[in-house]
């Protein structure tokens, strides 16, 4: 281990050498090798990205519209400002939902106030108010509307809160102003937080006074909410099925395939289950503080962690739930074993480098391990120190840790650490594939999925196999080329 | 148990299984969704003329627009120049979006950097971000040129790009002789096609050499054309005609680079040196009008060089293009191209029966739409709804003149400034046989059952179409192929029910 540790430390130093001194000093703090027995990865995080280095990060708007609010299906989300933000994020994230799009659900549509110069000069509040009226006319079944602010809104001094308050009364539909301008914060992360706060401030209070009857809700002792599952490729459904099987009642699934009604019910559940801690812990903490609802983190990637998580979740409930959890684990174990029996021999010993957002840089490590694969590097696009603390629970000592990794660093690490597979995002995918490195997108599941739950693990294993064992990689080098200069 | 390890089901089949269908049903009790009858009632209403009128009365909300914002076009243009790093001054999220968007369309990496401006830069201005950004980008990526454009954040706060870049050079962030052209590309003005224009003009301005003897070359500007094979086809035709040329700028390799096992950052084909000499070309030919207006004006007024717009799309467009080139250069149109013309016309006559009189809707960028109208009108097709979100008066005039030249153009309405939600109403109230547009057209296909021919940008859900030219005689054959085979696929879909419709499920068509 020591030699690997030293070797990888040296790799970091070598890669850093390309930077101007000032930048090198800054970036140095974001890179490390995980040490045995440490409770932290020893990297700085949630700090401004350095100009000019090709960060992979997005913005607060992406965190709110793209991640937290966007999947809420019966609410219209306006990209308030110029046309681009809504255009680029339109249908980009595969938040699956059931509904008649354009009639009772709206996730894969793009609504924008399409700001022109005059809106910048004279302000956009009047246009916004009119836009809300028009939406109410054309989409009578929408349950509410969020205003997802783009950069100019905060710079030109618009009062979207006043418009929202006025229009909530006027239209009889909830209108939520979200101050997620892209220049706020250092990444998507602040957008998650801002979106969480708008739920706290604009959604929950509007329904707190209603009785359960008025909400059409009959509580049960087993009511839970799934928080922070965006249902990419159906992840939340593949999770929900297990939770229901152990006897729990999922009354809110936030925010993948979520409705406003489910959000109204969330403060009334017995336990919040949080999958993506990074993007939704704020709301769980709020619900704990205000409504006394405990919350628990869980991990539904790979059978080892699924079993651990089901037991942990069940421990919050009575013996019947705990017994059912054991029964469910026992029921699915043969399925998981069959998947492992088939794919482990094909994947054993393969080395992976991960770089994504949210929870995945740590949560998928055990799923790879279940398949005999080893994660040799991982890092977060927009993690905080609490993410890096939690990572030590999952990652092996000697894992290279990179925070807000730059394109240059990521490429160089890959060249020097020789992974077999890169698990990252679309901007990275073809860079590494040009290096003849197998790759899977870990934001969109490369248009596959689900990857959560036992059913998802089978898909995960199949996909890692098809990526790694594709014969196309063997074609990259022309047979008449003799030099061995590869990645 | 849902998964059989020998036939693992992903989302496409898994959620059709009974246990998941039951799960959806259980979930409904917490959703407070409207009843299926109510959904049906409203869905039917959205198909009516009443809804269409309300939809077209919109003044403030845009729904499903067919346009992006300026910087996307700017970095697309910059990527055609030799060792040039696109550099976007403003918020960083924009650059993540642009790179993602281009990458999803081409399935190629796209490098661009941001100055990552945040709240403090909004207050104090982005000078430090610019200096640091240029320093780091130069150190890491050793570009020969850095092409700067802006996001709306930098535009709203009014950053002075020229002064910032000068300061950065004075402070030694990068060598003084590295060209750093810059363009203001506010997203609240125009669209991606204007960003292309602004960036290209800035680059030509920055790199321009001394006015001197003619190089005897012609300059060609492709415009914001997503079909990178068009540039290759253009080069091939020019080579066949033996016309010395400079393409401003050739990004075809950027969006289609070989897999050799080595990632190479820069693929822009137009050298800085030949760009500098573009001022001394005989003339400049733009293949698009509305993505090149400012650039052509600059070339005409400042370089005092003749410019023209030629659209080598469809048979007559390509004919006119070649004849004009022949006139400009005195070189004859080679027999090879004449043979190609004959093959394309032959293919069109072979398929004409299946496309003649087919009524269609089309949407996209103004120049793209004009090029497709030219071809479809030649085929005897009947354009009905023409939706151009990023329209302008000159385009609408040009489109109307083109339509007026054909008897089959008489049914068409040009809907400038409208979006795809308007188009949805048009398709429901006045149905057509075909829809031509980008991948977002699939939602219109789903809702209105109008078969979609994917032509445009972005195309995310089909692979490799950008590798085929739509330009010239070869391009006409590709367009024909996509159009006629969509019609034939649709015919098969309509006649596939055994004992119901399959008497028309013809083997030979």
């Amino acid at each position: 281990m020591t030699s690997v540790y030293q070797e990888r430390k040296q790799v970091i130093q070598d890669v850093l050498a390309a930077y101007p001194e000032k930048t090198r000093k800054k970036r140095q703090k974001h890179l490390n090798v995980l040490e045995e027995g440490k409770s932290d990865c020893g990297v700085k995080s949630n700090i401004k990205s350095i100009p000019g280095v090709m960060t992979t990060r997005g913005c607060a708007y992406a965190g709110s519209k793209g991640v937290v609010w966007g999947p809420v299906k019966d609410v219209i989300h306006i990209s308030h400002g110029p046309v681009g933000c809504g255009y680029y994020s339109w249908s980009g994230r595969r938040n699956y939902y059931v509904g008649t799009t354009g009639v009772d659900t709206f996730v894969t549509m793009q609504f924008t106030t399409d700001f022109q110069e005059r809106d910048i000069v004279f302000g956009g509040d009047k246009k916004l108010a009119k836009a809300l009226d028009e939406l109410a006319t054309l989409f009578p079944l929408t349950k509410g509307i969020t205003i997802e602010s783009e950069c100019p809104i905060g710079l030109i001094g618009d009062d979207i809160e006043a418009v929202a308050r006025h229009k909530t009364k006027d239209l009889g539909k909830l209108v939520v102003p979200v101050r997620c301008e892209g220049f706020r914060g250092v990444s998507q992360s602040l957008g998650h937080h801002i979106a969480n706060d708008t739920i706290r401030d604009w959604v929950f209070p509007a329904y707190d006074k209603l009785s359960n009857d008025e909400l059409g809700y009959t509580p049960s002792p087993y009511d839970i909410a799934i928080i922070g599952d965006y249902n990419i490729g159906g992840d939340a459904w593949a999770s929900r099925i297990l939770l229901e099987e152990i006897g729990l009642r999922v009354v809110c699934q936030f925010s993948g395939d979520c409705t406003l009604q489910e959000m109204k019910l969330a403060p009334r559940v017995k336990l919040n289950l949080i999958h993506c801690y990074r993007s939704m812990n704020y709301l769980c903490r709020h619900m704990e503080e205000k409504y006394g609802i405990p919350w628990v983190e869980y991990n539904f990637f790979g059978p080892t962690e699924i079993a651990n998580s089901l037991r942990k979740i069940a421990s919050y409930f009575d013996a019947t739930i705990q017994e059912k959890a054991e029964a469910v684990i026992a029921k699915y174990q043969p399925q998981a074993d069959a998947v492992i029996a088939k794919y482990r021999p094909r994947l054993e010993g393969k080395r992976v480098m991960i770089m994504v957002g949210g929870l995945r840089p740590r949560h998928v490590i055990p799923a790879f391990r279940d398949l005999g694969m080893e994660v040799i590097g991982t890092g977060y696009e927009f993690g905080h120190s609490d993410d890096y603390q939690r990572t030590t629970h999952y990652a092996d000592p000697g894992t290279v840790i990179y925070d807000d990794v730059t394109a240059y660093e990521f490429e160089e690490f890959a060249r020097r650490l020789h992974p077999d597979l890169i698990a990252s995002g679309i901007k990275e995918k073809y860079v590494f594939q040009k290096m003849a490195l197998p790759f899977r997108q870990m934001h969109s599941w490369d248009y596959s999925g689900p990857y959560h739950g036992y059913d998802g693990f089978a898909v995960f294993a199949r996909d890692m196999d098809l990526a790694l064992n594709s014969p196309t990689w063997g074609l990259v080098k022309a047979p008449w080329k003799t030099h061995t200069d590869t990645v | 148990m849902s998964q059989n390890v020998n036939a693992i089901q992903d989302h496409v089949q898994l959620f059709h299984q009974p246990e998941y269908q039951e799960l959806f049903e259980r979930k409904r009790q917490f959703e407070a969704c409207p009843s299926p009858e109510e959904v049906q009632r409203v869905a039917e209403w959205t198909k009516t003329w009443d809804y269409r009128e309300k939809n077209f009365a919109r003044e403030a909300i845009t729904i499903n627009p067919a346009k992006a914002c300026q910087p996307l076009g700017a970095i697309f243009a910059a990527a055609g120049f030799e060792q040039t790093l696109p550099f976007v001054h403003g918020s960083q999220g924009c650059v993540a979006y642009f790179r993602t968007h281009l990458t999803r369309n081409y399935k190629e990496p796209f490098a661009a950097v941001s100055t990552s401006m945040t709240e403090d830069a909004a207050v104090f201005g982005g000078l430090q971000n610019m200096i640091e950004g240029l320093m780091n980008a130069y150190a890491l990526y050793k570009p020969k040129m850095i092409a700067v454009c802006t996001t709306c954040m930098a535009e709203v706060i009014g950053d002075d790009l020229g002064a910032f870049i000068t300061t950065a050079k004075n402070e030694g962030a990068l060598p003084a002789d590295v060209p750093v052209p810059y363009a203001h590309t506010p997203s609240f003005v125009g669209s991606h096609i204007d960003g292309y224009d602004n960036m290209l003009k800035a680059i030509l301005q920055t790199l321009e050499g001394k006015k001197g003897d003619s190089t005897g070359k012609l300059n060609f500007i492709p415009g914001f054309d997503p079909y990178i094979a068009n540039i290759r086809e253009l080069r091939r035709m020019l080579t066949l005609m033996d016309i010395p040329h400079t393409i401003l700028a050739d990004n075809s390799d950027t969006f289609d680079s070989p897999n050799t096992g080595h990632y190479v950052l820069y693929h822009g084909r137009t050298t800085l040196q030949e760009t500098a000499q573009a001022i001394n070309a005989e003339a400049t030919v733009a293949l698009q009008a509305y993505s090149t207006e400012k650039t052509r004006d600059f070339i005409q007024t400042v370089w005092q060089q003749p410019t023209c717009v030629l659209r080598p799309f469809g048979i007559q467009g390509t004919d006119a293009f070649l004849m004009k080139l022949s006139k400009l250069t005195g070189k004859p149109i080679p027999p090879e191209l004449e043979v190609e013309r004959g093959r394309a016309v032959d293919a069109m006559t072979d398929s004409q029966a299946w496309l003649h009189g087919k009524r269609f809707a089309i949407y996209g960028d103004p120049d793209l739409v004009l090029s497709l109208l030219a071809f479809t009108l030649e085929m005897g097709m009947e354009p009905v709804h023409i939706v151009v979100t990023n329209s302008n008066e000159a385009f609408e005039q040009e489109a109307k003149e083109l339509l007026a030249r054909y008897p089959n153009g008489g049914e068409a309405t040009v809907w400038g400034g409208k979006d795809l939600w308007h188009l949805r109403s048009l398709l429901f109230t006045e149905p057509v046989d075909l829809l031509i547009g980008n991948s977002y057209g699939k939602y219109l296909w789903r809702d209105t059952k109008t078969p979609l021919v994917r032509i445009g940008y972005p195309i995310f859900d089909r692979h490799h179409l950008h590798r085929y030219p739509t330009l010239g005689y070869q391009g006409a054959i590709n367009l024909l192929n996509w159009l006629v085979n969509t019609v034939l696929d649709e015919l098969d879909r309509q006649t596939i029910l055994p004992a119901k419709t399959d008497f028309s499920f013809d083997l030979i068509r």
Side-chain angles (χ1 to χ4, degrees), chain B residues 468-503:
Chain B
Y468 295 86
T470 58
L471 170 155
Y473 302 124
Q474 297 292 349
I477 294 176
N478 284 328
L479 290 174
L480 175 66
N481 176 11
W482 296 338
L483 286 163
V484 75
N485 287 325
T486 302
V487 167
L488 296 176
D489 279 345
E490 181 63 15
L491 268 180
D492 285 347
R493 269 193 289 271
Q494 285 173 6
T495 58
I496 203 164
L497 294 180
K500 294 273 187 212
T501 60
D502 74 340
F503 39 78

Side-chain angles (χ1 to χ4, degrees), chain A residues 23 48 130 143 244 257, chain B residues 20 26-27 32 59 120 136:
Chain A
T23 308
K48 278 195 277 190
K130 193 172 218 176
K143 296 292 172 55
E244 290 183 345
D257 194 36
Chain B
Y20 282 99
R26 282 194 301 277
K27 185 172 183 296
E59 291 175 352
D120 50 346
N136 287 323

Side-chain angles (χ1 to χ4, degrees), chain A residues 23 48 52 73 90-91 110 112 114 130 134 143 184 186 244 257 262 331 433-434 449 455 485, chain B residues 1 3 11 20 26-27 31-32 59 61-62 64 67 92 108 114 120 136 257 259 262 440 443:
Chain A
T23 308
K48 278 195 277 190
K73 66 179 177 178
W90 181 10
S91 291
Q110 209 246 112
T112 174
D114 188 11
K130 193 172 218 176
E134 291 171 359
K143 296 292 172 55
R184 295 194 197 278
V186 303
E244 290 183 345
D257 194 36
E262 291 172 69
K331 172 187 161 189
Q433 291 195 171
K434 297 278 186 206
D455 287 343
D485 180 22
Chain B
M1 229 168 282
Q3 294 283 21
H11 56 92
Y20 282 99
R26 282 194 301 277
K27 185 172 183 296
E31 292 187 327
E59 291 175 352
I61 194 75
T62 297
N64 299 351
K67 66 170 181 181
Q92 71 193 11
E108 291 287 330
S114 163
D120 50 346
N136 287 323
S257 67
N259 195 331
H262 303 277
Y440 287 108
Y443 298 135

Side-chain angles (χ1 to χ4, degrees), chain A residues 41-92:
Chain A
C41 293
V43 295
K44 293 271 185 200
S45 59
N46 197 29
I47 292 173
K48 278 195 277 190
S49 299
I50 297 170
V53 297
M54 217 171 327
T55 172
T56 58
R57 281 174 170 178
C59 63
Y61 164 89
S64 177
K65 190 269 187 179
V67 175
V68 175
W69 267 115
V72 179
K73 66 179 177 178
D74 58 355
V75 170
I76 286 176
H77 310 288
I78 303 179
S79 295
H80 185 40
V83 72
C85 316
Y87 192 72
Y88 306 120
S89 57
W90 181 10
S91 291

Side-chain angles (χ1 to χ4, degrees), chain A residues 357-411:
Chain A
L359 70 153
R360 293 159 181 181
R362 61 176 177 276
H363 269 201
V364 295
I365 294 173
F368 282 119
R369 210 176 273 139
D370 285 335
L371 294 168
M373 300 167 75
E374 182 196 354
V375 172
I376 60 168
T378 194
Y380 297 79
E381 236 181 280
F382 47 79
H384 296 204
S385 55
D386 47 2
D387 291 302
Y388 286 101
Q389 285 158 11
R390 284 165 166 76
T391 306
T392 60
H393 171 72
Y394 289 111
D396 290 327
T399 304
V400 179
I401 306 291
Y402 27 79
D403 175 69
D404 182 22
V405 72
T406 70
Y408 179 83
E409 292 162 9
F410 202 12
E411 289 156 30

Side-chain angles (χ1 to χ4, degrees), chain A residues 140-190:
Chain A
L141 298 183
T142 183
K143 296 292 172 55
I145 300 169
T146 71
I147 303 160
E148 306 287 331
S149 302
E150 302 172 5
C151 285
I153 304 307
L155 299 171
I156 61 175
D158 275 10
D159 189 355
I160 60 169
E161 288 79 7
V163 176
R165 266 190 293 270
H166 172 65
K167 281 291 156 189
T168 296
K169 276 193 201 138
D170 192 29
L171 301 172
K173 286 184 200 288
L174 183 70
V175 180
V176 180
V178 190
R179 286 283 181 184
C180 55
E181 289 89 343
F183 60 80
R184 295 194 197 278
V186 303
S187 69
Q188 292 91 315
S189 185
L190 190 65

